[in-house]
Each structure stands twice: as C-alpha cells, then as structure tokens.
Amino acid sequence: MKISLQEIHSNYEGFSRLIQLATQTAGCFLDDIEIDMSHVGWIDANMCAPLGAVLYMVGRDINSIRLTNVPASVETILSKNGFLCNYGWTRKNDIHGSTIEYKRFEPKDDRYFADYIEKQMIGKGIPEMSPGLLKKFRASIYEIFSNSVIHSQTKLGIFSCGQYFPRKHRLDFSVADLGIGICSNIRERRGLTLSAEEAISWALEGKNTTKSGPIPGGLGLKLLREFIVKNEGRIQIVSDKGYWELSEGTVKKRAFSEPFPGTIVNIEINTADAKSYRLVSEIRSEDIF
Amino acid sequence: MSSQIVVMVFEVVGNGICVSSDDGQKVHDQIAAALREKKKIKVSFLNVESLTSAFLNAAIGQLYGKFSEETIRESLAVAEMEQEDLALLKRVVETAKEYFSDPERFKKAREDALEEKDAD
C-alpha cells in the first residue's frame, strides 16, 4: 500500500490528515506500507507525537513501514528530534537545542517521563522563560501525562514531542495516547452520551470528572486551561471525532468525519510571557484543611 | 518518642518530582497509617520541585474518603511548601471535599478503607 502524506501543521487540517492516515491503514496486516513524504513541505515537529502514535499502531499489526522521498528540510528536523530513528535514519545533532525529543512511554514510565522532561527542559534551557513560567509549564506537561495515564486506559503507550520556535517565542508540546478517548470514557463512567467535541468541553469544565474510585480527580485539565488562558497560549485537544481548541480566549469546536484512535493534547506556550505567576494573596498552610 | 510524625515527601518519593498518582499513593499510605493511630502528622515538601494534582489527589485528596474533615484538620499539617504549591493543594482539598460530598462515593471509599484496615 502506498499513501501520500501532505503538510502537517498543528491545526484542524493537520490533525485531519493524521486521522486520514489512521483510517487508511486501519486493518492492514502483514503489509508493506510506503508513506510517500514528497508533498510534506512542512511538518510541525511536535506533531511527530500523534504521527508516531498512528505509525506505532500500524507497526504493531506487523506491517513494515517505509517513509520515502522525505524532503531535506523535513528530514533534518525529524532526524534531530529522533523521530526518524524509528524508521531507519540516524540521529542528527540539534546544535540550537530547539527540539524536544520524540519519545514513546509506557503508562508506568512516569519517572522516565519526568526525567525526560527535566533533561529536555532544564538541561537545554529555554532561555527566555521566567522561572515562574517554566515551573507552570513543566507542571502542565506532567498534568497532561498523568491525565493520559489515569484516563486513557492505554496499553499501547503515550507519545510525546515538542518544538521550540525562538523567533516566534512559542513552544509547542504534544502528548498523544492510543486509549479509549474522552467521549467513551465519559459514556462508560458517567453514562453521558455526548458528541466527541462536547465530551472534550465537558472534561474541561467546572467540577466534572469521570473518576469514581477512592482517589478524587478532575483538576488536571482545568488547571491546564487556566494556565494557558493566562499565558495567552493555545490548547488543542483531539479525541475520537472531536476537535477542541482554545486560543486567544476563544473556544472552537469541530468534528472530524473519522475518529483519531485515542487522544491528542497539544499545548502552545507563549515563552515571552513576563507575567508573574506568584499569587496575589498569601495562603497560609494552617488554612488548607 | 516524638508526638508528631514527620513524613518527608522527597524521601518517600525518592526525588523532588512528585507527579505520579502511584508516588502520591506511597505518601498517602504513610499518612493514613499514622492517622489511624491517632498521631499528629507533618508532611514536609522540602526540596519538592514539581507537583501535580494527580499526586496530591492520591497523597492527600483521598484522605477525605477515609477520615473526617475534623480529624484531618486537627491531625495533619503541611510544611515547606511554596505558595503556588499551597494554592494547588488548597484546590485539591476543595475538590476532594466536593467529590466525597456524593454519598455513594463516600460510602464506597469508607468501605474500601475498612477493608484496608482489616487487611493490615
């Protein structure tokens, strides 16, 4: 089977193309799958996370995957972040330190994930981020990973990748899983039947949670949303057929014609944000409980 | 013998990155065991660099399903927490109180807690 891929940006069209790839390859078994990249003039490097998730699923069904005609500029960036190492390329040195490596984690790899984030964030340094912002950003990434581990029920892993765009003062980071998706989770655990995009909205609002066991939950995505609004960044969430985006204070919701086989959370941070993340009023430890 | 038990989060987790629910569970188990023995407990967050709601929900939030608010308020204290982390913990505590205000959830959590105690 030969599939031609197009440019992939972090937007509705980019996610649509990855869903199309997942749909085209679903059901392939013991097949030779050539992905022709000659029309991929650009790929936002963070989108390697959902692309890697789709290709991992294809590879699990014992298909051989060949990426062909990769344009030189795309090859350079995807060799620097380690994505192409999975498909027969060797790694290239990232002398500018602008990539956050592509990785796949098992759900139990939380310590390994933390180590990866500390090395990628602190080891390389994101020079213009204030310490308060960096702390919030790291915490947000950990919230996304924890959310995937707790809610996705994935056995196929969690995929992550990021890219720092110094001239735009933006840092994009994506986490993708191949789990049951937000919509099914809400239906199974809360008995609510919502469209996929409304299900994402539900998960980000008020005190909503699908948790039912002894450990409370439901805060992670709300904290992420609050931070991104203050930072004037962007969140995009794709789950099943749903697309949800928060950017410049506005929420956009759309549906895809086919589902993504899991959930993708992409955050874009405004790294030039000089706002203080210190609290306005002091909280006393005696007043917590 | 000291009248107050000190739980060092850094020591229990093994580093300052306190982000996973499983690591939070380890902290919870120590706090819960001490609360059952009616001890006063101080949980120190000294040297903790990163915290998530998932960690704090497991470590502290779930206590509200097993112990009364009064017991927790009288017996538990936190120390060496940065202001932002205190704010996060406050949110986690409020969420936990709300979560266990659902009688079904509270009943289930209490039953689980009694089973845990019997298994000790």
Side-chain angles (χ1 to χ4, degrees), chain A residues 44-267:
Chain A
D44 282 339
N46 54 291
M47 294 293 272
C48 286
L51 174 60
V54 171
L55 295 183
Y56 180 79
M57 215 167 62
V58 176
R60 253 188 109 248
D61 289 332
I62 327 174
N63 298 294
S64 70
I65 300 164
R66 289 182 299 121
L67 306 185
T68 58
N69 306 316
V70 183
S73 57
V74 172
E75 186 182 348
T76 300
I77 191 83
L78 301 195
S79 300
K80 281 182 184 172
N81 71 12
F83 180 77
L84 288 177
C85 294
N86 296 281
Y87 305 101
W89 274 260
T90 53
R91 190 186 294 270
K92 282 188 178 158
N93 235 354
D94 176 21
I95 51 169
H96 301 296
S98 59
T99 61
I100 298 173
E101 208 176 313
Y102 165 76
K103 285 265 188 195
R104 175 183 166 273
F105 298 91
E106 295 292 339
K108 284 278 173 198
D109 282 345
D110 41 43
R111 287 185 172 223
Y112 184 33
F113 180 79
D115 190 47
Y116 152 81
I117 291 301
E118 296 305 306
K119 279 191 182 133
Q120 298 287 316
M121 294 281 132
I122 310 304
K124 290 180 174 181
I126 305 294
E128 63 180 338
M129 264 191 180
S130 69
L133 177 60
L134 184 58
K135 182 173 174 164
K136 276 278 187 192
F137 175 55
R138 282 155 71 200
S140 298
I141 288 174
Y142 292 135
E143 292 285 359
I144 298 170
F145 187 82
S146 297
N147 204 63
S148 279
V149 170
I150 292 168
H151 296 293
S152 76
Q153 303 171 33
T154 182
K155 292 187 173 61
L156 299 180
I158 295 166
F159 304 77
S160 71
C161 194
Q163 182 70 32
Y164 174 42
F165 302 97
R167 271 178 291 186
K168 291 200 283 181
H169 307 293
R170 296 268 151 175
L171 193 155
D172 279 55
F173 190 84
S174 298
V175 174
D177 68 58
L178 294 166
I180 66 164
I182 296 170
C183 187
S184 300
N185 200 23
I186 292 172
R187 192 170 53 244
E188 275 182 20
R189 307 247 174 142
R190 298 299 305 269
L192 295 172
T193 305
L194 302 170
S195 67
E197 61 274 23
E198 289 304 332
I200 303 170
S201 273
W202 185 92
L204 282 142
E205 278 164 15
K207 295 184 168 68
N208 294 339
T209 179
T210 55
K211 291 296 291 283
S212 59
I215 303 175
L219 255 183
L221 289 178
K222 284 103 185 174
L223 294 168
L224 179 68
R225 179 180 186 161
E226 288 169 17
F227 165 56
I228 292 292
V229 167
K230 184 167 179 185
N231 172 256
E232 297 171 76
R234 182 180 67 181
I235 317 177
Q236 294 160 313
I237 301 180
V238 173
S239 192
D240 200 280
K241 288 184 181 175
Y243 177 79
W244 187 98
E245 177 182 315
L246 171 64
S247 178
E248 295 172 358
T250 307
V251 171
K252 290 177 197 154
K253 289 180 270 188
R254 291 179 73 176
F256 298 106
S257 56
E258 299 292 335
F260 180 79
T263 298
I264 308 162
V265 178
N266 180 47
I267 57 171

Side-chain angles (χ1 to χ4, degrees), chain A residues 111 143 213 226 283 287, chain B residues 13 22 53 83 90-91 99:
Chain A
R111 287 185 172 223
E143 292 285 359
E226 288 169 17
I283 295 180
D287 299 333
Chain B
V13 172
D22 287 353
S53 62
Q83 276 291 306
K90 182 94 182 144
R91 294 277 297 270
Y99 182 82

Side-chain angles (χ1 to χ4, degrees), chain A residues 108 110-111 114 118 135-136 138-139 142-143 146-147 150 190 207 209-220 222-223 226 277-279 281-289, chain B residues 13 15 17 19-20 22-23 25-26 49-50 52-54 57-58 60-62 64 72-73 76 78 82-93 95-100 105:
Chain A
K108 284 278 173 198
D110 41 43
R111 287 185 172 223
E118 296 305 306
K135 182 173 174 164
K136 276 278 187 192
R138 282 155 71 200
Y142 292 135
E143 292 285 359
S146 297
N147 204 63
I150 292 168
R190 298 299 305 269
K207 295 184 168 68
T209 179
T210 55
K211 291 296 291 283
S212 59
I215 303 175
L219 255 183
K222 284 103 185 174
L223 294 168
E226 288 169 17
Y277 282 85
R278 290 195 167 279
L279 300 171
S281 56
E282 194 189 348
I283 295 180
R284 297 182 332 137
S285 59
E286 298 80 35
D287 299 333
I288 296 293
F289 303 114
Chain B
V13 172
N15 61 58
I17 312 298
V19 296
S20 81
D22 287 353
D23 281 336
Q25 186 67 43
K26 291 175 200 161
E49 295 164 50
S50 284
T52 62
S53 62
N57 273 322
I60 292 175
Q62 67 169 318
Y64 286 87
I72 294 171
R73 201 178 301 119
L76 190 61
V78 290
E82 291 183 19
Q83 276 291 306
E84 302 89 74
D85 295 337
L86 274 174
L88 176 60
L89 178 58
K90 182 94 182 144
R91 294 277 297 270
V92 164
V93 165
T95 306
K97 288 178 183 174
E98 172 83 23
Y99 182 82
F100 289 115
R105 281 176 180 151

